[in-house]
Amino acid sequence: MSTLDATRAELGLLVLYLGKAEARDKICRAIQYGSKFLSNGEPGTAQNVDKTTSLARKVFRLFKFVNDLHALISPTPQGTPLPLILLGKSKNALLSTFLFLDQFVWLGRTGIYQNKERTELIGRISLYCWLGSSVCTTLVELGELGRLSSSMKKLEKDLKNKNKYDNEQYRAKLNKSNERTLSLIKAGIDTVVAVGLLQLAPKTVTPRVTGAFGFVSSLISCYQLLPAPAKSKTL
């Protein structure tokens, strides 16, 4: 493959990536929380960027609550333990509620909805829903990692005389474990961000801490949305 072909292929992947509304939202999120880190809650250019980007992101999320609403009423994979099912459905319900209420926050911030006090109240309720969904996600990922670990150990015993990394099923489980570990880290970080936005621990989770954690969480989200690498074909 020539340099031009390689460049064209890479640009094609970039176009595909930026064509996703979710990817553009996460890039804006990184800008938003990076600005929050720089401003540390102080008035100025960085805080203006934080506020305007936050408002712009709400447009990307209009009607997005339907995704988690669909997940809420969809059947779960067979064999999933009841506690994990309940936690997963709670996560979907809370995240869907957060995204639904966030639309009213957008209406209030743009001046379409005139009741400022009620807008602020709805905003806090929505953030509590996001906090709850992040906690549920953390517990779900912990539970799923535990299940994956058990199944991988069982598979290792079956493959004791073979190289486990040559086994396609083991590699698939290992990749899934890595993905869930990253999701667990992100959910934990998002929990801290939600605490910071709600100012539940203002002395510990300052605007700068919130910005730093939110920026890292956004980078993880951007990475998770990258197109999967194409598998090499053997002739």
Side-chain angles (χ1 to χ4, degrees):
M1 183 182 286
S2 68
T3 305
L4 181 60
D5 289 336
T7 304
R8 190 184 295 117
E10 288 171 1
L11 283 174
L13 287 175
L14 182 61
V15 169
L16 182 67
Y17 181 74
L18 294 176
K20 300 177 181 177
E22 187 75 10
R24 294 197 302 273
D25 175 49
K26 299 310 176 187
I27 291 170
C28 288
R29 188 175 189 259
I31 295 170
Q32 175 194 344
Y33 282 104
S35 302
K36 187 179 287 293
F37 170 78
L38 293 173
S39 72
N40 195 26
E42 298 295 328
T45 304
Q47 190 182 68
N48 291 338
V49 173
D50 173 16
K51 289 181 177 179
T52 54
T53 310
S54 173
L55 187 61
R57 286 186 59 227
K58 294 185 188 302
V59 179
F60 286 111
R61 299 202 296 259
L62 289 175
F63 302 107
K64 194 180 172 183
F65 70 93
V66 175
N67 295 350
D68 279 277
L69 188 60
H70 180 263
L72 178 63
I73 62 177
S74 297
T76 52
Q78 217 169 10
T80 306
L82 182 59
L84 288 182
I85 292 174
L86 293 175
L87 282 169
K89 294 301 182 184
S90 298
K91 180 202 81 169
N92 294 139
L94 287 165
L95 192 54
S96 182
T97 305
F98 159 67
L99 292 168
F100 178 73
L101 293 176
D102 201 47
Q103 296 177 127
F104 293 97
V105 176
W106 174 74
L107 290 172
R109 300 267 170 87
T110 53
I112 298 171
Y113 181 62
Q114 299 292 333
N115 194 323
K116 188 177 179 181
E117 288 184 6
R118 187 160 292 181
T119 299
E120 293 302 317
L121 177 61
I122 292 171
R124 284 192 67 80
I125 293 170
S126 70
L127 285 173
Y128 273 111
C129 289
W130 185 48
L131 173 61
S133 73
S134 297
V135 172
C136 288
T137 303
T138 302
L139 296 174
V140 167
E141 295 302 340
L142 281 171
E144 291 292 357
L145 278 170
R147 292 177 69 205
L148 266 173
S149 178
S150 299
S151 63
M152 286 172 71
K153 285 177 182 177
K154 186 179 178 182
L155 190 58
E156 282 177 15
K157 288 181 181 178
D158 297 337
L159 300 169
K160 57 184 176 181
N161 296 323
K162 300 177 183 177
N163 186 349
K164 60 188 179 183
Y165 297 107
D166 290 335
N167 184 274
E168 189 174 344
Q169 187 181 0
Y170 183 85
R171 290 201 307 271
K173 288 181 180 292
L174 184 61
N175 287 337
K176 194 69 179 174
S177 177
N178 291 338
E179 288 172 7
R180 288 202 173 275
T181 300
L182 192 60
S183 295
L184 172 63
I185 293 168
K186 182 183 177 303
I189 292 172
D190 282 341
T191 301
V192 177
V193 175
V195 168
L197 293 176
L198 286 164
Q199 296 183 332
L200 299 179
K203 291 183 180 179
T204 306
V205 188
T206 62
R208 179 152 286 168
V209 171
T210 304
F213 274 71
F215 183 73
V216 172
S217 170
S218 303
L219 293 182
I220 293 173
S221 294
C222 289
Y223 171 78
Q224 290 174 323
L225 289 168
L226 286 172
K231 293 181 180 178
S232 59
K233 294 182 180 178
T234 54
L235 298 175

